[in-house]
Amino acid sequence: MKRKKNLSLVFLLCISFIGNAQQKLTSPDGNLEMTFRLNQEGAPVYELTYKQKEVIKPSTLGLELKKEDADAAVDFEFKQRKDVTTLDKKTNLYNGFEIGEVSTSSFDETWKPVWGEEKEIRDHYNELAVTLNQPANDRHIVIRFRLFNDGLGFRYEFPQQKELNYFVIKEEHSQFGMAGDHTAFWIPGDYDTQEYDYTTSRLSEIRGLMKKAITPNSSQTPFSPTGVQTALMMKTDDGLYINLHEAALVDYACMHLNLDDKNMVFESWLTPDARGDKGYLQTPCNSPWRTVIVSDDARDILASRITLNLNEPCKLEDVSWIKPVKYIGVWWDMITNKGTWAYTDELSSVKLGVTDYSKTKPNGRHSANTANVKRYIDFAAQNGFDQVLVEGWNEGWEDWFGKSKDYVFDFVTPYPDFNVKELQSYAAGKGVRLMMHHETSASVRNYERHMDKAYQFMVDNGYNSVKSGYVGDIIPRGEYHYGQWMNNHYLFAVKKAAGYKIMVNAHEAVRPTGLCRTYPNLIGNESARGTEYESFGGNNVDHTTILPFTRLVGGPMDYTPGIFETHCNKMNPNNNSQVRSTLVRQLALYVTMYSPLQMAADIPENYERFMDAFQFIKDVAIDWDESLYLEAEPGDYITIARRAKGSNDWFIGCTADENGHTSKLTFDFLQPGKQYVATVYADAKDADWKNNPQAYTISKGVLTNKSKLTLRAASGGGYAISIKEVKDKSEAKGLKRL
């Protein structure tokens, strides 16, 4: 590990310690420059440029606190407060400041993630920390800025002090002033869901498009006609790519962005709790980091590690049990509504411990039955998969949704047709694990009351990973999916799971903000519109060309790719939805949609029809030593090459929008003097996501670092390449150079 720190630096910024003079901070490579000052009202103001182009116009920072109750007693003896006349001004943490202590530093460290897109990550930044004194309230806060080569992070820090100990946030007022009417890739701001299709538009068009963009969901609370979610991706007319997000979301409400579309200024908008408050804090504490990633090359946005670098190092002493997972699952047949999660159709109401399932008639469509799961275990064992997810195995699915039901599941009682012990023994005998499923139906109170028992049940039965879900409106009632209380719950579950050596893949949880660095047993999240929506009407064709620039900026996604039969009516005659992708693009997603948790989401029968194409899913790695972003344009195409962990084998994936894409690939990243056998999975000439999705070609040839290759991705298509190092000349015998 390399580390350099300097606390006295003239080269970092030109700074006057007299009064409230402007201070400048530059990135290590000099391309980014951030200036900070106080305006005439004593409000903090920052701005950011990249290669002298305006990224953030002068924008104010600060927080507004909730007014304290004038009638509240100040101690247990119910003494009345003496500061009633000053309560109004105490809500102000946004102006009236004077600059106090100013410190600067640089930092350069290389660290190794437990799993990731590369084996080492460089954390290199210059820092400015400004203490702001507020004489009127005898308070002070610190705003800390870190400027990396690829962007800016800043946060608020609240030291413990006599006049600031406990406080409630009414709103955070962090502004991001845009320098123009940029093109944005956005989803509606919502306290409860991110599961929307992306809209591509000018910022000025968001208001007019919002109503159409808000599509139905199981739980949703949009808040503004110009509110959008992070990570927000934008492109300027002069060729800059700008991404706004947050990092290290701990004990705080999730941040959305509300746009003043007259002035093109975004302002932070926190998720409230059931009372409308936006955060209960006790000093010393700090906000999450607010991040601005920027470059004139879209590939740099994908390569940025700011989100991870702004999180704390791993807090788990033993990480040997945390392993990337490639899995299949009893899932897609239920998503298409061929099968069911529920055991019987006879019950309209279930009371756990009271309802006797032995007296009900099975519906004959319950997918999580012992015989069916054994079939999946067999397929996993035959094809080298680590685990088998099984949903719908436990009692309670007959009335799980939409009832605001508190005691909905107990997470340990199986249906009569699911034999836990038998299946665990059967799977273990074939070198496969079962993956647990904990759907909470958003009854979080119920999940927490059962959590220890549920995790111990997993340990006792050989499960080491869990897919959790939070579908529906939250209980406690009135809380939102992305409020402070729920964010604390999600992290509580991850920490608790670590104590049982369990890995967590949380669906419907808050969008990731890099906490997987600190708690690497958080191996996946959903938190976006995934493959399941291909069965609910379909995702936009360009969806997978946008997600890596937005949702994946915060951490990996359990996108569940690999659907080979794209017509859902082949599964269920009553489902006329179609997966808006060619078969080959489904292969490419294992490379372009990074995750240490990758599912082959289709049913075994559909894979057995295309075993030559399925070979790529079997071969592709899920942990990497190196990642190269070869081509990228948000909303159009992404091409990524990755080198497998501990290997010289590479995998390439390309995903394209409805217009397709032609790539002219070079392979100078391969090791000189070595030969490689490449297997190219490509769209056929007449392939098309809608009319001919299963048309593909597979070809083999020899590559070197001097090779060149032109490949065409069809509409909604892509390509995937497996590149294996030749270790014996016989491996390349008879193959032509590509």
Side-chain angles (χ1 to χ4, degrees), residues 6-17 21-27 33-36 102-106 126-130 145 147:
N6 191 329
L7 296 174
S8 64
L9 309 174
V10 176
F11 73 86
L12 281 184
L13 61 157
C14 300
I15 183 168
S16 170
F17 292 94
Q22 179 172 282
Q23 298 140 29
K24 293 184 179 180
L25 180 67
T26 58
S27 60
E33 182 176 278
M34 194 274 302
T35 62
F36 176 83
V102 176
S103 65
T104 64
S105 63
S106 67
N126 294 331
E127 180 177 277
L128 166 68
V130 183
F145 299 92
L147 199 53

Side-chain angles (χ1 to χ4, degrees), residues 197-211:
D197 261 322
Y198 281 88
T199 300
T200 302
S201 76
R202 294 284 186 174
L203 296 177
S204 60
E205 297 172 326
I206 290 175
R207 183 183 297 271
L209 295 170
M210 182 62 71
K211 185 176 180 180

